[in-house]
Amino acid sequence: MVQALDYLKETASQTAGPYVHIGLTPNFCGIGGVYDTDLGTTMVSENTLGDRVTVSGRVLDGTGTPLRDALVEIWQADAAGLYNSPSELRGAADPAFSGWGRCPTGGEDGAFLFETIKPGRVPFKDGRPMAPHITFWIVARGINVGLHTRMYFPDEAEANAADPLLLRVEHRHRIATLVATGSAPNYIFDIHLQGEKETVFLDI
Amino acid sequence: MSDRANQKPETGAFFPRDRNWHAPALTPGYKTSVLRSPQKALLSLDGTISEITGPVFGHSMLGELDNDLIHNFAKPGESAIGERIIVHGRVLDERGRAVSGALLEFWQANAGGRYRHKKESYLAALDPNFGGCGRTITDEEGFYSFRTIKPGPYPWPNGVNDWRPAHIHFSVFGHGFAQRLITQMYFEGDPMIWKCPIVNTIADRRAIEQLIAPLDWANTIPMDARAYKFDIILRGRRSTLFENRIEGN
């Protein structure tokens, strides 16, 4: 016998279901008066440092149909490349920037939209700089475990070419699924759940 | 398992997620997953600072009734109809350490199984005093609680005659974005749990049992509300053993 390796097991994920917006964006779905505002609606204020950008897009299923019941969250560094998190020990992030946003997909076209800033560069585990990126998390009816991915910027070709994560994508044509289209300050990032244009999703 | 309020923040990467414990993406018994599941393999990435950090939320953002679904949507002096319950527990990580400051958000149907949502067309009536959403933040030792009414089961268009067991949806923020989790809590003794295509997306019976909250008689308040206990386990963090790479990359 050996000692028991007494780690617990992570609580298993379940789908967010079709009514995720009741819990996470109640004002958006018409449940007023409980919270003043929906969390994650506003990421920047006039005091936030950095270049303003918008990131919009859709989440599409295996037939190319946009999901109108998804919820998208993003997490990113500030303009100086620091995260507004207690686990960030490299310095103090911009206090006027939360780094986190949440947006439901709704309406006829199923679009999400974030008004944010362009993030600075942050280091990979070995110290190499990663290209500027935004971390995405997508949940919806039909998605059993939330999907993680990243968005990179189309006007950072040199940084993207040396990015330690993008260098790991074996099928090089799939890198394009992680790079937004559009141009500064308005970027477009469509997320394809399945099929030929399937976005690279991460096990992080 | 004592809390470590004055300890400096942990910065280790998270334990890898056991993807055999979680449901796979494609689970055809749950029909919507067929066209919403990636078909290509996930790209593995040991956590970088982009994933081991995450937003935190202060207790100051909470309103007085945010963890009281019986009253947070009700007209003054009125309350939601249904079985009054308290749901409480702890948020721990896989090492058994308390996760303090975790934001929990929850949503549910009313006592008749009706959600307050424009896309919901189930003929069961809305409760004018029940909204169905709430939130709270764990204390220094990882404890949380909220008060609500027990949700009813409801039918859904999957199989011809599929019904969801009574459940409460939970969304959890730990300390890192890699810990982000959404799950569902079920109630002890509900025979519908084992018939549900969404529950059965999970292959391992022990993982399902971890989602079922036992009736907690000890914490039941006489003449007021019964209690259910639901502990939530988030991914553990590696100790930062030999991760400083002082001899270079």
Side-chain angles (χ1 to χ4, degrees):
Chain A
M1 292 294 286
V2 297
Q3 292 185 13
L5 192 58
D6 58 349
Y7 296 127
L8 303 172
K9 292 296 286 185
E10 186 188 12
T11 298
S13 174
Q14 291 259 266
T15 179
Y19 307 125
V20 58
H21 301 150
I22 292 176
L24 303 190
T25 54
N27 291 294
F28 169 81
C29 79
I31 301 177
V34 181
Y35 309 146
D36 290 341
T37 57
D38 290 335
L39 277 186
T41 309
T42 306
M43 297 179 68
V44 297
S45 68
E46 59 184 22
N47 297 323
T48 305
L49 303 173
D51 297 331
R52 267 56 178 171
V53 301
T54 68
V55 175
S56 63
R58 298 168 300 162
V59 182
L60 303 120
D61 73 12
T63 69
T65 305
L67 274 59
R68 296 173 57 200
D69 54 8
L71 183 95
V72 180
E73 292 184 2
I74 63 171
W75 172 240
Q76 64 168 92
D78 69 9
L82 294 169
Y83 284 99
N84 192 342
S85 163
S87 299
E88 172 63 86
L89 302 182
R90 297 172 300 147
D94 180 357
F97 183 61
S98 70
W100 175 75
R102 170 185 279 171
C103 189
T105 69
E108 286 303 315
D109 58 352
F112 60 81
L113 171 69
F114 294 98
E115 294 179 0
T116 182
I117 53 129
K118 187 168 180 184
R121 300 182 77 169
V122 302
F124 194 59
K125 294 174 71 72
D126 58 11
R128 282 180 289 167
M130 294 191 277
H133 63 271
I134 296 175
T135 294
F136 273 70
W137 188 69
I138 302 110
V139 293
R141 175 171 69 100
I143 297 176
N144 291 326
V145 184
L147 296 166
H148 284 278
T149 189
R150 277 187 186 183
M151 186 203 97
Y152 288 84
F153 291 83
D155 41 17
E156 294 282 350
E158 196 178 326
N160 291 346
D163 181 80
L165 172 72
L166 295 180
L167 285 170
R168 286 197 190 176
V169 179
E170 180 185 353
H171 300 98
R172 307 300 292 163
H173 69 279
R174 299 194 67 211
I175 290 174
T177 71
L178 299 177
V179 181
T181 57
S183 56
N186 302 119
Y187 298 98
I188 299 162
F189 187 54
D190 282 342
I191 296 157
H192 295 266
L193 298 177
Q194 188 186 87
E196 256 177 59
K197 292 188 268 185
E198 186 173 308
T199 300
V200 174
F201 295 105
L202 305 174
D203 189 2
I204 59 173
Chain B
M1 239 183 256
S2 66
D3 70 295
R4 296 160 168 81
N6 297 318
Q7 167 182 309
K8 79 173 184 182
E10 294 187 280
T11 56
F14 292 98
F15 291 2
R17 194 161 249 171
D18 181 349
R19 300 241 172 214
N20 295 315
W21 181 257
H22 288 278
L26 175 61
T27 49
Y30 174 26
K31 292 182 178 178
T32 315
S33 76
V34 173
L35 284 169
R36 295 185 173 193
S37 47
Q39 293 169 331
K40 298 180 172 67
L42 303 180
L43 178 65
S44 296
L45 177 68
D46 190 25
T48 73
I49 193 161
S50 303
E51 295 81 32
I52 65 177
T53 56
V56 294
F57 301 89
H59 292 260
S60 61
M61 79 174 207
L62 298 176
E64 199 178 339
L65 294 177
D66 281 6
N67 69 342
D68 184 355
L69 282 70
I70 293 178
H71 297 106
N72 70 5
F73 191 79
K75 293 187 254 314
E78 300 189 15
S79 58
I81 292 172
E83 300 178 32
R84 295 164 59 91
I85 60 170
I86 291 161
V87 178
H88 75 107
R90 283 184 95 185
V91 180
L92 305 169
D93 76 8
E94 289 171 297
R95 290 182 298 172
R97 290 188 170 205
V99 181
S100 62
L103 173 66
L104 306 184
E105 297 164 282
F106 16 85
W107 65 102
Q108 62 170 91
N110 70 22
R114 174 72 187 267
Y115 281 96
R116 186 173 287 280
H117 194 283
K118 55 184 180 294
K119 287 183 186 163
E120 162 71 280
S121 56
Y122 182 33
L123 47 77
L126 283 170
D127 177 345
N129 288 311
F130 187 74
C133 61
R135 62 188 178 189
T136 189
I137 293 177
T138 58
D139 69 14
E140 287 296 335
E141 296 178 338
F143 287 102
Y144 77 91
S145 65
F146 61 96
R147 175 158 71 164
T148 187
I149 52 91
K150 189 175 176 186
Y154 79 99
W156 58 301
N158 187 63
V160 172
N161 189 24
D162 277 336
W163 292 71
R164 296 303 321 283
H167 63 280
I168 299 176
H169 297 264
F170 278 72
S171 166
V172 190
F173 283 86
H175 295 165
F177 209 56
Q179 287 177 309
R180 197 75 183 80
L181 181 73
I182 280 184
T183 189
Q184 301 183 30
M185 181 199 107
Y186 303 98
F187 292 85
E188 179 183 6
D190 187 342
M192 307 212 332
I193 293 170
W194 307 101
K195 299 180 186 297
C196 175
I198 289 178
V199 172
N200 289 325
T201 59
I202 299 172
D204 194 317
R205 186 182 175 96
R206 295 167 302 167
I208 294 173
E209 288 170 345
Q210 204 179 7
L211 301 182
I212 305 174
L215 178 64
D216 177 5
W217 204 246
N219 272 299
T220 287
I221 304 174
M223 308 301 285
D224 184 336
R226 290 175 305 149
Y228 283 87
K229 184 166 180 288
F230 184 55
D231 289 340
I232 297 167
I233 313 299
L234 301 181
R235 296 167 67 179
R237 280 199 114 127
R238 289 208 300 264
S239 308
T240 45
L241 309 170
F242 298 96
E243 292 202 24
N244 293 327
R245 302 194 188 227
I246 48 175
E247 58 276 73
N249 301 323

